[in-house]
Amino acid sequence: KQWYQRRVRGVKFLWEVYRHVLDILKNNNKVEKLYQDIAQMAFNFCIKYERKAEFRKLSDSVRNHLNLVIKHSHQTNSVNLNDPVSLQLHLDTRLHQLDCAININLWQEAIKTIHDIHSLMQLRDR
């Protein structure tokens, strides 16, 4: 029983770390690759520990962070989605998110992610 309680606390702690780190790194072009890597690690965490509720929250957070990137694109050191490398990083993360959503049968999240990918593709085609 103690082992299980420690494991649950560890999983909750790791989830909070992912959430906070992503929130800190969300719109800074200096750490953009790190943000995308950690987002993918967080999606993998949700798969490994079968955390569907956390997956939904993570998807919403990443979606909100993208909206903030678009809204504050004029600020110094903000992520520039007109840069093909930045846009590709976002697309790669969304494709990974889609794979994970399908993997754990979260079809609504998969559909939302497809819409996100479509929106990013439209930015690329401008």
Side-chain angles (χ1 to χ4, degrees):
K1 184 176 176 169
Q2 275 185 332
W3 176 85
Y4 178 77
Q5 287 175 339
R6 272 186 271 167
R7 183 173 169 115
V8 167
R9 278 185 293 207
V11 167
K12 287 181 180 179
F13 175 76
L14 186 54
W15 164 247
E16 289 298 317
V17 169
Y18 279 131
R19 218 170 47 79
H20 290 295
V21 169
L22 287 172
D23 202 44
I24 290 167
L25 302 177
K26 65 186 166 210
N27 192 21
N28 186 331
N29 64 7
K30 308 280 189 223
V31 291
E32 182 176 11
K33 173 78 170 109
L34 181 61
Y35 173 89
Q36 300 302 334
D37 290 344
I38 292 173
Q40 290 186 29
M41 288 168 59
F43 286 121
N44 291 338
F45 163 87
C46 292
I47 297 296
K48 181 177 179 179
Y49 294 104
E50 299 175 9
R51 310 295 287 193
K52 290 184 177 187
E54 284 83 354
F55 187 92
R56 286 186 195 96
K57 290 176 188 174
L58 177 60
S59 295
D60 287 342
S61 292
V62 169
R63 194 169 294 112
N64 289 335
H65 292 166
L66 179 60
N67 290 333
L68 288 172
V69 164
I70 293 168
K71 183 178 177 183
H72 299 290
S73 61
H74 62 281
Q75 293 178 346
T76 308
N77 292 330
S78 66
V79 173
N80 179 7
L81 292 176
N82 293 322
D83 176 18
V85 174
S86 294
L87 189 56
Q88 190 60 50
L89 286 171
H90 279 274
L91 282 168
D92 291 345
T93 299
R94 292 316 181 289
L95 290 169
H96 184 73
Q97 178 182 351
L98 177 60
D99 285 342
C100 291
I102 292 168
N103 200 353
I104 56 175
N105 299 322
L106 287 176
W107 304 112
Q108 285 296 100
E109 287 305 319
I111 290 169
K112 289 178 186 178
T113 304
I114 290 169
H115 288 296
D116 295 342
I117 292 168
H118 182 259
S119 297
L120 286 167
M121 296 291 279
Q122 285 180 323
L123 287 174
R124 185 178 72 181
D125 293 339
R126 281 189 201 172

